Amino acid sequence: MKIHEYQAKQVLARFAVATPRGEVAYSPEEAHRVAERLGGTVVVKAQIHAGGRGKAGGVKLAHDPNEVERLASEMLGKKLVTIQTGPEGRVVKRVLIEEGLEVARELYLGIVIDRTTARPVFMASSEGGVEIEVVAAGHPEKILKEYVDPAVGFLAFQARKLAFGLGLDAKLVNEAVRFFSSLYRAFESTDASLVEINPFVVTRDGRLLALDAKMNFDDNALSRHPDIRELRDLDEEDPLEVRASNYSLNYIRLDGNVGCMVNGAGLAMSTMDIIQYAGGRPANFLDVGGGASEEQVRRGFEIILSDANVRAVLINIFGGIMRCDIVASGVVAAAKSLDIKVPVVVRLEGTNVELGQKILRESGLNFTVAHGMKDAAEKVVALARGLSN
Ligand code: GDP
Ligand code: MN
């Protein structure tokens, strides 16, 4: 799960990570009042779940509350397109108003789980404020890394190594060590999957602060953090994905036109591969799970059909724990309550396959039956082409 910058800063502040003074606002008038409270020069920052806002006009300096109000009204309700949002952009619904700081240096800090070592890795770079992917590609040596043994945690010597590596002033090293340790504690205690501070700044008056903050969390650990789960902003998520998550379906929307209804993550992945192999593109990943109910199958099918990009649907089920008749009943129930305008190809195999096929045959609905994955993929891709022409 992702959260907004201002929320990440609130979470970090609980762990004594230094952040600039600021408050979120939902309207230009509210932004005006926040600017009055803060006083002096402030920064107006569009809050969306995507970075690259600075270059796209989503981060602006203002000198008085009237200017803040004007900038906030220019941002709120408008689409912001950054390199991370894709061309469709995101509508800005909240702005963060923050004290303006005099920045001497912009550095980078990040903590993620490293898949190779299966450990958290604490990264730091003197090349802050810019896209870290660019630094990683061109100058990987400029990214310092400390791997953390989860059994002993992030140790003070590792923090010191990073602080010296960043070339911080000797008199700032102790404060940096405290900052990095607090940041790691925040990452670990909240079951975060990513914490990124870009830029981490040194101000002219020698303070260290998180000027930007990004935090992502492990969805599977959210049950342990009800306070963090509340920070979820459904406006920032794909509406179909939100609907699917309400029914505990593993659904990810993609940009192709073949809707896929599959059980088991491995089968779902190979289904997507074989669709591509047959020259098509999947519209989604959907794993209805091993023990899906008829209701879940029906909801999953409805969600696939609500995607306007879908030109044909492939139902690819291997009945192991899941029984083919349950899937067939769910699909038929969904089909009866919906007006299906696209062709549906079905490949069923496994437990109760005859019963499943019988339910489909006797439903009076028009399904194309396929034998094997290759046949199914070729049929559905051909049908999707036929309609999209
Ligand atoms: P991003 O572009 O979405 O990553 O947004 P950031 O929060 O990183 O802001 C982009 C840039 O705006 C930063 O790298 C800073 O250079 C600048 N910026 C943001 N807040 C301040 C501030 O309080 N003072 C100054 N001088 N610059 C700021
Ligand atoms: Mn940033």
Side-chain angles (χ1 to χ4, degrees), residues 280-321:
R281 289 172 62 77
N284 66 281
F285 170 94
L286 172 63
D287 168 15
V288 293
S293 63
E294 187 185 312
E295 156 91 358
Q296 279 179 306
V297 171
R298 182 164 68 82
R299 297 298 185 180
F301 199 47
E302 281 171 11
I303 288 167
I304 292 176
L305 293 173
S306 321
D307 181 347
N309 292 332
V310 167
R311 295 277 175 262
V313 178
L314 172 56
I315 299 174
N316 186 14
I317 302 288
F318 180 80
I321 299 169

Side-chain angles (χ1 to χ4, degrees), residues 81-349:
V81 181
T82 81
I83 43 160
Q84 289 187 12
T85 60
E88 69 277 10
R90 287 280 171 78
V91 177
V92 179
K93 297 194 171 160
R94 315 171 188 195
V95 288
L96 171 61
I97 315 298
E98 214 170 57
E99 63 173 322
L101 296 165
E102 296 211 48
V103 175
R105 285 188 73 190
E106 295 200 353
L107 310 164
Y108 172 93
L109 300 177
I111 311 174
V112 291
I113 307 286
D114 177 66
R115 285 161 194 257
T116 315
T117 55
R119 289 179 171 203
V121 56
F122 198 131
M123 295 176 285
S125 175
S126 55
E127 307 297 300
V130 289
E131 288 162 60
I132 198 66
E133 294 80 3
V134 175
V135 182
H139 292 279
E141 78 287 354
K142 289 193 175 165
I143 301 179
L144 313 170
K145 290 181 180 172
E146 285 295 324
Y147 293 88
V148 182
D149 179 342
V152 293
F154 179 64
L155 299 173
F157 85 90
Q158 297 183 292
R160 275 196 299 278
K161 253 168 89 180
L162 292 175
F164 284 114
L166 289 174
L168 288 174
D169 234 45
K171 56 182 188 298
L172 285 177
V173 168
N174 283 341
E175 197 192 330
V177 168
R178 270 195 300 276
F179 189 107
F180 299 168
S181 305
S182 301
L183 193 68
Y184 186 79
R185 209 162 345 105
F187 171 84
E188 188 184 68
S189 312
T190 60
D191 290 305
S193 53
L194 172 144
V195 174
E196 194 176 57
I197 308 299
N198 189 21
F200 162 58
V201 298
V202 185
T203 61
R204 292 252 174 85
D205 55 358
R207 291 183 295 145
L208 302 176
L209 295 110
L211 204 65
D212 190 7
K214 179 173 173 178
M215 286 187 94
N216 295 350
F217 302 93
D218 179 350
D219 291 346
N220 294 314
L222 284 175
S223 59
R224 307 207 289 198
H225 307 286
D227 52 329
I228 287 170
R229 190 157 51 182
E230 271 180 27
L231 303 177
R232 187 168 173 196
D233 181 358
L234 297 178
D235 285 346
E236 292 284 332
E237 296 179 26
D238 184 292
L240 289 181
E241 291 186 8
V242 173
R243 245 170 84 188
S245 75
N246 290 338
Y247 301 113
S248 311
L249 295 166
N250 293 313
Y251 170 89
I252 295 159
R253 196 170 183 181
L254 302 166
D255 54 10
N257 63 7
V258 179
C260 302
M261 164 100 152
V262 191
N263 70 322
L267 187 61
M269 298 290 240
S270 45
T271 302
M272 291 161 53
D273 282 352
I274 204 158
I275 287 171
Q276 305 241 29
Y277 193 67
R281 289 172 62 77
N284 66 281
F285 170 94
L286 172 63
D287 168 15
V288 293
S293 63
E294 187 185 312
E295 156 91 358
Q296 279 179 306
V297 171
R298 182 164 68 82
R299 297 298 185 180
F301 199 47
E302 281 171 11
I303 288 167
I304 292 176
L305 293 173
S306 321
D307 181 347
N309 292 332
V310 167
R311 295 277 175 262
V313 178
L314 172 56
I315 299 174
N316 186 14
I317 302 288
F318 180 80
I321 299 169
M322 180 69 143
R323 288 169 14 215
C324 292
D325 56 312
I326 298 265
V327 177
S329 304
V331 167
V332 170
K336 288 206 164 128
S337 61
L338 300 163
D339 177 22
I340 303 182
K341 296 195 183 71
V342 296
V344 178
V345 176
V346 183
R347 180 251 173 178
L348 290 177
E349 225 42 271

